[in-house]
Amino acid sequence: MALGRLLVLAVVAIATVVACNSAPKVPVSTAALKKAYWGVPASGPSADVTSQVTCPNGYPCDVFANAANYGQTKLDFDNRLAVIWTCQPQRFVLSEVVATGLKVRMDCVGGLPLVPRTISILEATWGSPNGQTIDVTQSVRDICGDSSWRCQVPAMGYIFGTPDRVSRTKTLRIRFTCNGQTTPGQQATENSVADLRCERAKDLE
């Protein structure tokens, strides 16, 4: 009787080990800062504060939307902080936009590996529906790179410019492919983020 119980326990232990070894492994992900911007739409190139963002304790890393951190003595609630970072080996480009007084947490959330599909930017435009629109395809390509599997693009005036002087809410529109297959595309209004993803419904089942 005791021998039978031992055999049963041995079989259960072996089955558990096999199941654990065959389960999909969640990859360890590493974050790295790509770009950081601070200011209002008219700030233009001066909004690039990448060199002023440090993470002495490594990642995850908090980046604060604080005027004093970027050499501003006057508080302006129209300022926005946009941070873009990468996650490897998932080949993600993530970003977040926050208002004055808040913070961006640069981190990578691990998940089960999906079918890898590479994003390729076909066309991107920036502007207001009733105003001037400009081509920003190359700027979006610079953000996403040529090998990302997911890419979040901040829709910010200081990144893409101010195509007209009239105060209108701008929209970023992006057409892209996943492994060469066309997608519906994505768009984002000013001060938000366009999230380009290549997952299929069957990947998430």
Side-chain angles (χ1 to χ4, degrees), residues 17 19 29-30 36-37 45 80 92 120 136 140 144 151 191:
V17 170
S29 188
T30 303
Y37 301 89
R80 293 290 184 274
F92 287 173
S120 179
V136 294
V140 173
C144 294
C151 182
N191 296 331

Side-chain angles (χ1 to χ4, degrees), residues 15 100 120 199:
T100 299
S120 179
E199 292 95 339

Side-chain angles (χ1 to χ4, degrees), residues 39-93:
V40 295
S43 299
S46 66
D48 190 330
V49 294
T50 308
S51 62
Q52 300 176 50
V53 174
T54 59
C55 294
N57 297 320
Y59 296 90
C61 176
D62 291 330
V63 185
F64 293 89
N66 186 331
N69 291 352
Y70 309 110
Q72 291 184 347
T73 56
K74 185 178 179 181
L75 183 63
D76 186 344
F77 286 103
D78 289 332
N79 283 330
R80 293 290 184 274
L81 172 68
V83 182
I84 305 170
W85 67 98
T86 60
C87 294
Q88 300 294 349
Q90 289 94 336
R91 288 160 57 176
F92 287 173
V93 179

Side-chain angles (χ1 to χ4, degrees), residues 5-180:
R5 288 180 179 176
L6 288 175
L7 287 173
V8 170
L9 289 175
V11 170
V12 170
I14 292 172
T16 301
V17 170
V18 170
C20 290
N21 288 336
S22 61
K25 293 183 178 179
V26 177
V28 175
S29 188
T30 303
L33 174 66
K34 186 177 177 74
K35 282 285 186 179
Y37 301 89
W38 166 261
V40 295
S43 299
S46 66
D48 190 330
V49 294
T50 308
S51 62
Q52 300 176 50
V53 174
T54 59
C55 294
N57 297 320
Y59 296 90
C61 176
D62 291 330
V63 185
F64 293 89
N66 186 331
N69 291 352
Y70 309 110
Q72 291 184 347
T73 56
K74 185 178 179 181
L75 183 63
D76 186 344
F77 286 103
D78 289 332
N79 283 330
R80 293 290 184 274
L81 172 68
V83 182
I84 305 170
W85 67 98
T86 60
C87 294
Q88 300 294 349
Q90 289 94 336
R91 288 160 57 176
F92 287 173
V93 179
L94 305 181
S95 66
E96 188 174 351
V97 176
V98 296
T100 299
L102 301 179
K103 69 179 181 180
V104 172
R105 185 166 181 80
M106 284 191 289
D107 195 4
C108 296
V109 179
L112 294 177
L114 300 175
V115 177
R117 298 184 180 93
T118 302
I119 290 171
S120 179
I121 306 300
L122 296 178
E123 179 187 24
T125 59
W126 168 254
S128 53
N130 301 318
Q132 184 179 353
T133 300
I134 58 175
D135 186 296
V136 294
T137 305
Q138 189 55 51
S139 297
V140 173
R141 286 173 178 165
D142 291 342
I143 291 172
C144 294
D146 57 6
S147 63
S148 59
W149 295 342
R150 180 182 180 186
C151 182
Q152 295 180 332
V153 185
M156 305 301 295
Y158 48 53
I159 297 177
F160 301 114
T162 52
D164 55 50
R165 297 182 179 180
V166 181
S167 179
R168 297 189 182 100
T169 300
K170 310 296 187 296
T171 300
L172 175 65
R173 292 181 172 84
I174 304 173
R175 293 178 54 244
F176 65 102
T177 63
C178 294
N179 278 7

Side-chain angles (χ1 to χ4, degrees), residues 114-115 117 176-183 197-205:
L114 300 175
V115 177
R117 298 184 180 93
F176 65 102
T177 63
C178 294
N179 278 7
Q181 296 184 348
T182 56
T183 69
R197 305 178 69 151
C198 285
E199 292 95 339
R200 304 284 191 267
K202 62 182 180 181
D203 295 340
L204 307 176
E205 291 175 353

